[in-house]
Coordinates of all heavy atoms in Angstrom, one line a residue:
T133 N 20.5 -24.4 17.5 CA 21.0 -24.1 18.8 C 20.1 -24.7 19.8 O 18.8 -24.5 19.8 CB 21.0 -22.5 19.0 OG1 21.8 -21.9 18.0 CG2 21.5 -22.2 20.4
P134 N 20.6 -25.6 20.7 CA 19.7 -26.3 21.7 C 18.8 -25.3 22.5 O 19.4 -24.3 23.0 CB 20.7 -27.0 22.6 CG 21.9 -27.2 21.7 CD 22.0 -26.0 20.9
G135 N 17.5 -25.6 22.5 CA 16.6 -24.8 23.3 C 16.2 -23.5 22.7 O 15.4 -22.7 23.3
A136 N 16.7 -23.2 21.5 CA 16.4 -21.9 20.8 C 15.0 -21.9 20.2 O 14.5 -22.9 19.7 CB 17.5 -21.5 19.8
K137 N 14.5 -20.7 20.1 CA 13.2 -20.4 19.4 C 13.4 -19.1 18.7 O 14.1 -18.2 19.2 CB 12.0 -20.3 20.3 CG 11.7 -21.6 21.0 CD 10.4 -21.4 21.9 CE 10.1 -22.7 22.6 NZ 8.9 -22.5 23.4
I138 N 12.9 -19.0 17.4 CA 13.1 -17.8 16.6 C 11.8 -17.2 16.2 O 10.9 -17.9 15.8 CB 14.0 -18.1 15.4 CG1 14.3 -16.8 14.6 CG2 13.5 -19.2 14.5 CD1 15.4 -16.9 13.6
L139 N 11.7 -15.9 16.3 CA 10.6 -15.1 15.7 C 11.1 -14.4 14.5 O 12.1 -13.7 14.5 CB 10.1 -14.0 16.7 CG 9.1 -13.0 16.1 CD1 7.8 -13.7 15.8 CD2 8.9 -11.8 17.1
V140 N 10.4 -14.7 13.3 CA 10.6 -13.9 12.1 C 9.4 -13.0 11.9 O 8.3 -13.5 12.0 CB 10.8 -14.9 10.9 CG1 11.0 -14.1 9.6 CG2 11.9 -15.9 11.2
H141 N 9.7 -11.7 11.8 CA 8.5 -10.8 11.7 C 8.8 -9.7 10.8 O 9.9 -9.4 10.3 CB 8.2 -10.2 13.1 CG 9.1 -9.1 13.5 ND1 8.9 -7.8 13.3 CD2 10.3 -9.1 14.1 CE1 9.8 -7.0 13.7 NE2 10.8 -7.8 14.2
C142 N 7.7 -9.0 10.4 CA 7.8 -7.7 9.7 C 6.7 -6.9 10.3 O 6.5 -7.0 11.5 CB 7.7 -7.9 8.2 SG 6.2 -8.8 7.6
A143 N 6.0 -6.0 9.6 CA 4.9 -5.2 10.1 C 3.7 -6.1 10.5 O 3.2 -6.0 11.6 CB 4.6 -4.1 9.2
V144 N 3.2 -6.9 9.5 CA 2.0 -7.7 9.8 C 2.3 -9.1 9.8 O 1.5 -9.9 10.4 CB 1.0 -7.4 8.7 CG1 -0.3 -8.1 8.9 CG2 0.7 -5.9 8.6
G145 N 3.4 -9.6 9.3 CA 3.8 -11.0 9.4 C 3.2 -11.8 8.3 O 3.0 -13.0 8.5
V146 N 2.9 -11.3 7.1 CA 2.3 -12.1 6.1 C 3.0 -12.0 4.7 O 2.8 -12.8 3.8 CB 0.8 -11.7 5.8 CG1 0.0 -12.0 7.1 CG2 0.6 -10.3 5.4
S147 N 3.9 -11.0 4.5 CA 4.5 -10.8 3.2 C 6.0 -10.9 3.3 O 6.6 -11.9 2.9 CB 4.1 -9.4 2.6 OG 4.6 -9.3 1.3
R148 N 6.7 -9.9 3.8 CA 8.2 -10.0 3.9 C 8.7 -11.1 4.7 O 9.5 -11.9 4.3 CB 8.7 -8.6 4.5 CG 8.6 -7.5 3.6 CD 9.0 -6.2 4.2 NE 7.8 -5.7 5.1 CZ 7.7 -4.5 5.6 NH1 8.7 -3.7 5.4 NH2 6.7 -4.2 6.3
S149 N 8.2 -11.2 6.0 CA 8.7 -12.3 6.9 C 8.3 -13.6 6.3 O 9.0 -14.6 6.4 CB 8.2 -12.0 8.3 OG 6.8 -11.9 8.3
A150 N 7.1 -13.7 5.8 CA 6.6 -15.0 5.3 C 7.5 -15.4 4.1 O 7.8 -16.6 4.0 CB 5.1 -14.9 4.8
S151 N 7.9 -14.5 3.3 CA 8.7 -14.8 2.1 C 10.1 -15.4 2.6 O 10.6 -16.4 2.0 CB 9.0 -13.6 1.3 OG 7.7 -13.1 0.7
L152 N 10.6 -14.8 3.6 CA 11.9 -15.3 4.2 C 11.7 -16.7 4.8 O 12.6 -17.6 4.7 CB 12.5 -14.3 5.1 CG 12.9 -13.0 4.5 CD1 13.4 -12.0 5.6 CD2 13.9 -13.1 3.4
V153 N 10.6 -17.0 5.5 CA 10.4 -18.3 6.0 C 10.2 -19.3 4.9 O 10.7 -20.4 5.0 CB 9.2 -18.2 7.0 CG1 8.7 -19.6 7.4 CG2 9.5 -17.5 8.3
L154 N 9.4 -18.9 3.9 CA 9.3 -19.9 2.7 C 10.6 -20.2 2.1 O 10.9 -21.4 1.8 CB 8.3 -19.2 1.7 CG 6.9 -19.1 2.1 CD1 6.1 -18.3 1.1 CD2 6.2 -20.4 2.4
A155 N 11.5 -19.2 1.9 CA 12.8 -19.4 1.4 C 13.6 -20.3 2.2 O 14.3 -21.2 1.7 CB 13.5 -18.1 1.2
Y156 N 13.5 -20.1 3.6 CA 14.3 -21.0 4.5 C 13.8 -22.5 4.3 O 14.7 -23.4 4.2 CB 14.0 -20.6 5.9 CG 14.3 -21.6 6.9 CD1 15.6 -22.0 7.2 CD2 13.3 -22.3 7.6 CE1 15.9 -23.0 8.1 CE2 13.5 -23.3 8.5 CZ 14.8 -23.7 8.7 OH 15.1 -24.7 9.6
L157 N 12.5 -22.7 4.3 CA 12.0 -24.1 4.1 C 12.5 -24.7 2.8 O 12.7 -25.9 2.7 CB 10.5 -24.1 4.2 CG 9.9 -23.7 5.6 CD1 8.4 -23.6 5.6 CD2 10.4 -24.8 6.7
M158 N 12.5 -23.8 1.7 CA 13.0 -24.3 0.4 C 14.5 -24.6 0.4 O 14.9 -25.7 -0.1 CB 12.6 -23.3 -0.6 CG 11.1 -23.1 -0.8 SD 10.7 -21.6 -1.7 CE 11.3 -22.0 -3.4
I159 N 15.2 -23.7 1.0 CA 16.7 -23.9 1.0 C 17.2 -25.0 1.9 O 18.0 -25.8 1.6 CB 17.4 -22.5 1.3 CG1 17.1 -21.5 0.2 CG2 18.9 -22.7 1.6 CD1 17.4 -20.1 0.6
N160 N 16.7 -24.9 3.2 CA 17.2 -25.8 4.2 C 16.5 -27.1 4.4 O 17.0 -28.1 4.9 CB 17.3 -25.1 5.5 CG 18.3 -24.0 5.5 OD1 18.1 -22.9 5.1 ND2 19.6 -24.3 5.9
H161 N 15.2 -27.2 3.9 CA 14.5 -28.4 4.1 C 14.0 -29.0 2.7 O 13.2 -30.0 2.7 CB 13.3 -28.2 5.0 CG 13.7 -27.9 6.4 ND1 14.1 -28.8 7.3 CD2 13.8 -26.7 7.0 CE1 14.5 -28.3 8.4 NE2 14.3 -27.0 8.3
H162 N 14.5 -28.4 1.6 CA 14.3 -28.9 0.3 C 12.9 -29.1 -0.1 O 12.5 -30.0 -0.9 CB 15.1 -30.2 0.1 CG 16.5 -30.1 0.6 ND1 17.5 -29.4 0.0 CD2 17.1 -30.7 1.7 CE1 18.6 -29.4 0.6 NE2 18.4 -30.2 1.7
L163 N 12.0 -28.2 0.4 CA 10.6 -28.2 0.0 C 10.5 -27.4 -1.3 O 11.2 -26.4 -1.5 CB 9.7 -27.6 1.1 CG 9.7 -28.2 2.5 CD1 8.7 -27.5 3.4 CD2 9.4 -29.7 2.4
S164 N 9.6 -27.8 -2.1 CA 9.2 -26.9 -3.3 C 8.5 -25.7 -2.7 O 8.1 -25.7 -1.6 CB 8.3 -27.7 -4.2 OG 7.1 -27.9 -3.7
L165 N 8.3 -24.7 -3.6 CA 7.6 -23.5 -3.2 C 6.1 -23.9 -2.7 O 5.7 -23.4 -1.7 CB 7.5 -22.5 -4.3 CG 6.7 -21.2 -4.1 CD1 7.1 -20.5 -2.8 CD2 6.8 -20.3 -5.3
V166 N 5.5 -24.8 -3.5 CA 4.1 -25.2 -3.1 C 4.1 -25.9 -1.8 O 3.2 -25.6 -0.9 CB 3.5 -26.1 -4.3 CG1 2.2 -26.7 -3.8 CG2 3.3 -25.2 -5.5
E167 N 5.1 -26.8 -1.6 CA 5.1 -27.5 -0.3 C 5.4 -26.6 0.9 O 4.8 -26.7 1.9 CB 6.2 -28.6 -0.3 CG 5.9 -29.7 -1.3 CD 7.1 -30.6 -1.5 OE1 8.3 -30.1 -1.6 OE2 6.9 -31.8 -1.7
A168 N 6.3 -25.6 0.6 CA 6.6 -24.6 1.7 C 5.3 -23.8 2.0 O 5.0 -23.6 3.2 CB 7.7 -23.7 1.3
I169 N 4.6 -23.3 1.0 CA 3.4 -22.6 1.2 C 2.4 -23.4 2.0 O 1.8 -22.9 3.0 CB 2.8 -22.1 -0.1 CG1 3.7 -21.0 -0.7 CG2 1.4 -21.5 0.1 CD1 3.3 -20.6 -2.1
K170 N 2.2 -24.6 1.6 CA 1.2 -25.5 2.3 C 1.6 -25.7 3.7 O 0.7 -25.7 4.6 CB 1.0 -26.8 1.5 CG 0.3 -26.7 0.2 CD 0.2 -28.0 -0.5 CE -0.6 -27.9 -1.8 NZ -0.7 -29.2 -2.5
T171 N 2.9 -25.9 4.0 CA 3.3 -26.1 5.3 C 3.1 -24.9 6.2 O 2.5 -25.1 7.3 CB 4.9 -26.4 5.3 OG1 5.1 -27.6 4.6 CG2 5.4 -26.6 6.7
V172 N 3.4 -23.7 5.8 CA 3.1 -22.5 6.6 C 1.6 -22.3 6.7 O 1.2 -21.9 7.8 CB 3.9 -21.3 5.9 CG1 3.5 -20.0 6.7 CG2 5.4 -21.5 6.0
K173 N 0.9 -22.5 5.6 CA -0.5 -22.2 5.6 C -1.3 -23.1 6.6 O -2.5 -22.8 6.9 CB -1.1 -22.3 4.2 CG -0.9 -21.0 3.4 CD -1.7 -20.9 2.2 CE -3.1 -21.2 2.5 NZ -4.2 -20.5 1.9
E174 N -0.7 -24.2 7.0 CA -1.4 -25.1 7.9 C -1.5 -24.3 9.3 O -2.4 -24.7 10.1 CB -0.6 -26.4 8.2 CG -0.7 -27.4 7.0 CD 0.2 -28.6 7.3 OE1 0.5 -28.8 8.5 OE2 0.5 -29.3 6.3
H175 N -0.7 -23.3 9.5 CA -0.6 -22.6 10.8 C -0.9 -21.1 10.7 O -1.3 -20.5 11.7 CB 0.7 -22.8 11.4 CG 1.2 -24.3 11.4 ND1 0.7 -25.1 12.4 CD2 2.0 -25.0 10.6 CE1 1.2 -26.3 12.2 NE2 2.0 -26.3 11.1
R176 N -0.8 -20.5 9.5 CA -0.9 -19.1 9.5 C -1.3 -18.7 8.0 O -0.8 -19.2 7.1 CB 0.4 -18.4 9.8 CG 0.3 -16.9 9.8 CD 1.7 -16.3 10.3 NE 1.6 -14.8 10.4 CZ 1.1 -14.2 11.4 NH1 0.7 -14.8 12.4 NH2 1.1 -12.8 11.4
W177 N -2.2 -17.7 7.9 CA -2.5 -17.1 6.6 C -1.3 -16.2 6.2 O -0.9 -15.4 7.0 CB -3.8 -16.3 6.8 CG -4.2 -15.6 5.5 CD1 -4.8 -16.2 4.4 CD2 -3.9 -14.2 5.1 NE1 -4.9 -15.2 3.4 CE2 -4.4 -14.0 3.8 CE3 -3.3 -13.2 5.8 CZ2 -4.3 -12.8 3.2 CZ3 -3.2 -12.0 5.1 CH2 -3.7 -11.8 3.8
I178 N -0.9 -16.4 5.0 CA 0.2 -15.5 4.5 C -0.2 -15.0 3.1 O -1.0 -15.6 2.4 CB 1.5 -16.3 4.4 CG1 1.4 -17.6 3.5 CG2 2.1 -16.6 5.8 CD1 2.7 -18.3 3.2
S179 N 0.5 -13.9 2.7 CA 0.2 -13.3 1.4 C 1.4 -12.4 0.9 O 1.3 -11.2 0.9 CB -1.1 -12.4 1.6 OG -1.4 -11.8 0.3
P180 N 2.5 -13.1 0.5 CA 3.6 -12.4 -0.1 C 3.1 -11.6 -1.3 O 2.3 -12.1 -2.1 CB 4.6 -13.5 -0.4 CG 4.2 -14.6 0.4 CD 2.7 -14.6 0.6
N181 N 3.7 -10.4 -1.5 CA 3.3 -9.6 -2.7 C 3.8 -10.3 -3.9 O 4.6 -11.2 -3.9 CB 3.7 -8.2 -2.6 CG 5.2 -8.0 -2.8 OD1 5.8 -8.5 -3.7 ND2 5.8 -7.2 -1.9
R182 N 3.2 -9.9 -5.1 CA 3.5 -10.6 -6.4 C 5.0 -10.6 -6.7 O 5.5 -11.5 -7.3 CB 2.7 -9.8 -7.4 CG 2.6 -10.6 -8.7 CD 1.4 -10.0 -9.6 NE 0.5 -11.1 -9.8 CZ 0.3 -11.6 -11.0 NH1 1.0 -11.2 -12.0 NH2 -0.5 -12.6 -11.2
G183 N 5.7 -9.5 -6.4 CA 7.1 -9.4 -6.7 C 7.9 -10.5 -5.9 O 8.8 -11.1 -6.4
F184 N 7.5 -10.6 -4.6 CA 8.2 -11.6 -3.8 C 7.9 -13.0 -4.3 O 8.7 -13.9 -4.2 CB 7.7 -11.5 -2.3 CG 8.1 -10.2 -1.7 CD1 7.8 -9.9 -0.4 CD2 8.9 -9.2 -2.3 CE1 8.1 -8.7 0.3 CE2 9.3 -8.0 -1.7 CZ 8.9 -7.8 -0.4
L185 N 6.6 -13.2 -4.7 CA 6.3 -14.6 -5.3 C 7.1 -14.9 -6.5 O 7.5 -16.0 -6.7 CB 4.8 -14.6 -5.6 CG 3.8 -14.6 -4.5 CD1 2.4 -14.6 -4.9 CD2 4.1 -15.8 -3.5
K186 N 7.4 -13.9 -7.3 CA 8.3 -14.1 -8.5 C 9.7 -14.5 -8.1 O 10.3 -15.4 -8.6 CB 8.3 -12.9 -9.4 CG 7.0 -12.6 -10.2 CD 7.1 -11.4 -11.0 CE 5.8 -11.1 -11.7 NZ 5.8 -9.8 -12.4
H187 N 10.2 -13.8 -7.0 CA 11.5 -14.2 -6.5 C 11.5 -15.6 -5.9 O 12.5 -16.3 -6.1 CB 12.0 -13.2 -5.4 CG 12.2 -11.8 -6.0 ND1 13.2 -11.5 -6.9 CD2 11.7 -10.6 -5.7 CE1 13.2 -10.3 -7.2 NE2 12.3 -9.7 -6.5
L188 N 10.5 -16.0 -5.2 CA 10.4 -17.3 -4.7 C 10.2 -18.4 -5.8 O 10.8 -19.4 -5.7 CB 9.2 -17.4 -3.7 CG 9.4 -16.7 -2.4 CD1 8.0 -16.5 -1.7 CD2 10.4 -17.4 -1.5
Q189 N 9.5 -18.0 -6.8 CA 9.4 -18.9 -8.0 C 10.8 -19.1 -8.6 O 11.1 -20.2 -9.0 CB 8.5 -18.2 -9.0 CG 7.6 -19.0 -9.8 CD 6.7 -18.2 -10.7 OE1 6.9 -17.0 -11.0 NE2 5.7 -18.9 -11.3
N190 N 11.6 -18.0 -8.8 CA 12.9 -18.1 -9.3 C 13.8 -19.0 -8.4 O 14.6 -19.8 -8.9 CB 13.5 -16.8 -9.5 CG 12.9 -16.0 -10.6 OD1 12.2 -16.5 -11.5 ND2 13.0 -14.6 -10.6
L191 N 13.7 -18.8 -7.1 CA 14.4 -19.7 -6.2 C 14.0 -21.1 -6.3 O 14.9 -22.0 -6.3 CB 14.1 -19.2 -4.7 CG 14.8 -20.0 -3.6 CD1 16.3 -19.9 -3.7 CD2 14.3 -19.6 -2.2

Side-chain angles (χ1 to χ4, degrees):
T133 303
K137 292 182 180 181
I138 182 168
L139 169 68
V140 181
H141 80 91
C142 52
V144 183
V146 298
S147 186
R148 289 171 281 194
S149 55
S151 297
L152 295 179
V153 168
L154 293 171
Y156 160 74
L157 292 173
M158 294 165 68
I159 293 165
N160 292 86
H161 294 282
H162 312 292
L163 300 183
S164 69
L165 175 55
V166 168
E167 291 167 328
I169 289 171
K170 287 179 178 178
T171 298
V172 173
K173 278 194 52 141
E174 286 178 20
H175 307 282
R176 182 178 184 83
W177 177 80
I178 56 171
S179 184
N181 73 50
R182 194 162 239 251
F184 293 178
L185 290 178
K186 287 179 184 175
H187 291 300
L188 288 164
Q189 215 178 16
N190 291 339
L191 177 65

